[in-house]
Amino acid sequence: MSKTIERDVLSRKIIDTCLKMNQMGLNQGTAGNVSARFQDGMLITPTGIPYEQLTESHIVYIDNEGHFEEGKLPSSEWRFHQAVYQARADAQAVVHNHAIYCTAVSILNRPIPAIHYMVGATGTTHVPCAPYATFGSRELSDYVAQTITQSKAILLQHHGMIACGENLEKALWLTHEVEVLAHLYLQTLAITDSVPVLSDDDMAIVLEKFKSYGLRIEE
């Protein structure tokens, strides 16, 4: 497959992921952004174009030095996508959105603890929350780089969430799982602030089982 065809195919998958994300109710309007690792950099959604209007030619390539194609403007959040790829060698795709329940928990500046064994889908025992910084800033990308090493999904204080995965399908799948966890957490917080959580021993068993569990999709 030529590099041009390979790029177009991946660009189409990025657009389809954006559209599905909105259809699933995980995002609103043009908020959020999606990227995938490509060659010596990444392909990412542009800024300011509604997902329904995107074509493969709109998707922006950014190299590992942060240089992007002339005449194209990437998402304002491109820096923290780059930070995820630099921090996690296993990340091949990144999904960011303002999912309602994840964003609500991020406003509380709380991690999502082990309220349900599906927290293990993140590769750890909780979903951490990165400190607040202005969107698009280098400061925010630094916070993301520090926090994403703890988990494949993180919250961004007063902002939203990020999930990464081995491919776009898995990143979107994890995004949905974390949004469900955030919803459950908020519902239980409405009853008690001392929400029961699974023990470290219980989660150790879950994390071991998750090594062979999950969405099986081949690119």
Side-chain angles (χ1 to χ4, degrees), residues 1-183:
M1 184 184 296
S2 73
K3 291 297 181 183
T4 300
I5 295 175
E6 183 182 357
R7 172 175 171 158
D8 284 347
V9 168
L10 188 54
S11 294
R12 185 68 248 170
K13 288 184 178 181
I14 289 172
I15 295 168
D16 289 344
T17 300
C18 292
L19 293 171
K20 188 171 182 181
M21 179 170 66
N22 277 17
Q23 290 165 3
M24 293 170 70
L26 297 171
N27 197 55
Q28 309 83 43
T30 58
N33 27 76
V34 174
S35 71
R37 201 188 288 268
F38 182 71
Q39 296 183 2
D40 295 323
M42 64 179 170
L43 293 171
I44 190 168
T45 47
T47 186
I49 302 177
Y51 294 150
E52 294 79 7
Q53 296 178 19
L54 287 178
T55 65
E56 289 85 344
S57 63
H58 288 124
I59 303 301
V60 187
Y61 174 73
I62 305 179
D63 67 23
N64 286 332
E65 302 302 316
H67 302 129
F68 48 87
E69 297 168 282
E70 187 175 353
K72 292 185 179 183
L73 285 177
S75 164
S76 61
E77 305 285 21
W78 68 267
R79 284 188 177 86
F80 71 51
H81 284 255
Q82 185 181 64
V84 173
Y85 295 125
Q86 292 174 346
R88 296 193 67 113
D90 61 336
Q92 297 298 315
V94 175
V95 172
H96 163 60
N97 60 39
H98 301 168
I100 291 173
Y101 297 112
C102 282
T103 303
V105 177
S106 82
I107 292 169
L108 298 174
N109 193 22
R110 296 187 182 208
I112 302 174
I115 56 170
H116 189 282
Y117 73 83
M118 282 303 293
V119 170
T122 68
T124 188
T125 61
H126 66 291
V127 180
C129 187
Y132 177 78
T134 305
F135 74 93
S137 67
R138 202 170 293 275
E139 182 183 14
L140 180 57
S141 68
D142 289 343
Y143 286 145
V144 168
Q146 295 162 18
T147 312
I148 199 69
T149 59
Q150 302 173 39
S151 171
K152 290 189 288 186
I154 65 174
L155 305 180
L156 305 176
Q157 186 183 4
H158 293 285
H159 188 153
M161 66 90 68
I162 298 173
C164 62
E166 298 171 25
N167 51 47
L168 288 159
E169 290 88 346
K170 286 189 175 182
L172 184 60
W173 172 79
L174 183 58
T175 299
H176 180 253
E177 292 296 333
V178 174
E179 176 70 346
V180 171
L181 289 168
H183 192 182

